[in-house]
Amino acid sequence: MQEDVAHYFYHGNHSILQVAHRNIKAKSVTFFFWEYLFIIARDDDKLQNLSDFKNIDVGPRHSGTEFTSQNVQNLLQLDWKILHTKNLEEKKKLFKAKKLDAMIVLVPNIDNLLKDLKKSGIKVKLMGFTPTQIATITASPFYHENTVQCLEGKKIVTIATRSLLAVHS
């Protein structure tokens, strides 16, 4: 599970994880791998900044991606309508119909997803964070600034969070 999700799972006080699970004791917790937050936007000149987005997809309800996206949205005080699709095919339909401005994914590598979208004829662009946005987000102990090189050598500034393996007794 993601580092931010793990914290609120055990401590509560989050809009998604309101109740603490203090009775569940972790026997062992270890670092598993880094996950990077990618914002994939429709390739539209009207979408230049995160504040330009109206409809954002964050995947299934109560997913780690929804959790982190909600935290980022709140930290940056962005007014997004959050959509919850169940799979990539739903996202593709919404992109093609121009009913989706962007989607947020938390993955170790974005290249295969970008290739799939390109093969489907969907024109998208990766959006990074500004220095001010990064400073605001990384004030949280769960998020770490990272520059990621993607397809065709494009570099974006984003955040990473640790994926943890927790073993319960």
Side-chain angles (χ1 to χ4, degrees):
M1 83 175 70
Q2 293 161 205
E3 182 178 15
D4 52 352
V5 176
H7 172 81
Y8 289 104
F9 177 82
Y10 293 112
H11 299 298
N13 295 325
H14 189 277
S15 61
I16 295 174
L17 289 169
Q18 298 170 1
V19 178
H21 295 84
R22 296 189 204 296
N23 58 339
I24 298 175
K25 301 295 179 205
K27 207 172 175 183
S28 174
V29 177
T30 186
F31 169 76
F32 208 36
F33 55 86
W34 286 102
E35 290 189 286
Y36 305 96
L37 185 140
F38 292 100
I39 302 168
I40 303 169
R42 193 166 26 88
D43 193 7
D44 184 327
D45 289 340
K46 295 177 186 171
L47 303 173
Q48 296 298 319
N49 303 298
L50 300 183
S51 59
D52 296 333
F53 300 150
K54 293 183 179 30
N55 299 310
I56 302 280
D57 178 77
V58 298
R61 287 191 188 282
H62 308 292
S63 66
T65 301
E66 179 193 26
F67 193 90
T68 302
S69 299
Q70 186 180 89
N71 287 347
V72 168
Q73 180 184 15
N74 291 340
L75 287 166
L76 299 179
Q77 299 177 359
L78 295 166
D79 186 26
W80 294 336
K81 178 182 178 190
I82 299 297
L83 305 176
H84 297 91
T85 60
K86 294 184 178 121
N87 57 51
L88 184 56
E89 294 309 312
E90 280 187 62
K91 291 173 184 39
K92 288 178 183 179
K93 286 179 186 173
L94 291 171
F95 266 133
K96 286 180 179 177
K98 296 187 177 184
K99 293 182 178 178
L100 181 63
D101 294 329
M103 68 180 185
I104 295 178
V105 294
L106 266 162
V107 292
N109 185 298
I110 194 70
D111 290 346
N112 288 335
L113 177 57
L114 292 176
K115 286 177 191 174
D116 189 344
L117 291 170
K118 187 176 183 178
K119 194 165 67 172
S120 298
I122 299 169
K123 293 184 180 181
V124 295
K125 59 186 174 186
L126 285 176
M127 304 279 291
F129 293 106
T130 66
T132 303
Q133 290 169 332
I134 282 290
T136 301
I137 297 167
T138 58
S140 164
F142 311 120
Y143 308 120
H144 314 275
E145 179 179 353
N146 207 296
T147 301
V148 179
Q149 186 167 332
C150 302
L151 285 175
E152 301 161 1
K154 179 174 171 102
K155 291 183 179 181
I156 62 158
V157 177
T158 188
I159 60 167
T161 187
R162 289 180 271 258
S163 184
L164 306 173
L165 177 63
V167 178
H168 297 132
S169 52

